[in-house]
């Protein structure tokens, strides 16, 4: 039995869950998410206990994998509409900065032209200061993807550490060239 898949997902009081065949719809204060799952798993919502349970029909390798995946995705959906997700990015480097312009984040990160990135639907961002970007949303996958796109504009380089990084990311630094005196 899948150790993750067999655990029930507890639903908070401010979240509504609707299971219609293979489709699960979750509504909460942060938004609405809907996803269709594979037919090898069965999703049940117990309204009395306020729990979602995921079961599988057989013990084939694919079914076991889909069992844990489905439970994790449903748990992420419920947490997303209840509390939301957030990723913080930091910009390091002289002259490197971010700003908000017409619903897009504009990055000035050492290229000749600034890079403008528009967030997908359901994802918002804040630029509290020129070196910090906060990406927020209910869908964990969309928040992570947009944060990764911002980071990919200028990944942190290993010599001076300049670039866009996640808040707690540790960048391994390399030693630069060292010139020995020729004798």
């Amino acid at each position: 039995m899948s150790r993750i898949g067999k655990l029930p997902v507890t639903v908070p009081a401010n979240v509504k869950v609707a299971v219609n065949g293979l489709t699960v719809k979750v509504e909460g204060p942060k938004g609405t998410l809907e996803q269709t799952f594979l037919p090898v798993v069965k999703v049940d919502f117990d309204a009395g206990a306020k729990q979602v349970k995921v079961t599988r029909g057989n013990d084939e390798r694919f079914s076991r994998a889909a069992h844990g995946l489905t439970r994790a995705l449903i748990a992420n959906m419920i947490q997303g509409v209840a509390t939301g997700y957030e990723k913080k990015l930091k910009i390091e480097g002289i002259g490197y900065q971010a700003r908000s312009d017409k619903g897009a984040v504009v990055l000035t990160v050492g290229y000749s032209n600034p890079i403008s990135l528009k967030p997908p639907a359901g994802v918002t961002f804040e630029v509290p200061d020129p070196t910090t970007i906060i990406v927020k949303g209910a869908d964990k996958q969309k928040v992570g993807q947009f944060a990764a796109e911002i980071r990919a504009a200028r990944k942190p380089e290993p010599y001076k550490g300049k670039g866009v990084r996640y808040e707690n990311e540790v960048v391994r630094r390399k030693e630069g060239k060292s010139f020995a005196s020729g004798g």
Side-chain angles (χ1 to χ4, degrees), residues 97-118:
Q97 61 183 356
R99 61 185 164 83
S100 178
D101 186 35
K102 296 179 187 165
V105 61
V106 179
L107 301 170
T108 307
V109 286
Y111 297 118
S112 57
N113 295 321
I115 298 169
S116 178
L117 298 168
K118 210 159 188 49

Side-chain angles (χ1 to χ4, degrees), residues 136-154:
K136 294 180 179 182
D139 191 339
K140 186 176 188 177
Q141 196 275 328
K142 285 183 180 178
V143 169
Q145 181 64 38
F146 186 59
E149 288 171 8
I150 292 172
R151 182 181 180 273
R154 176 71 93 175

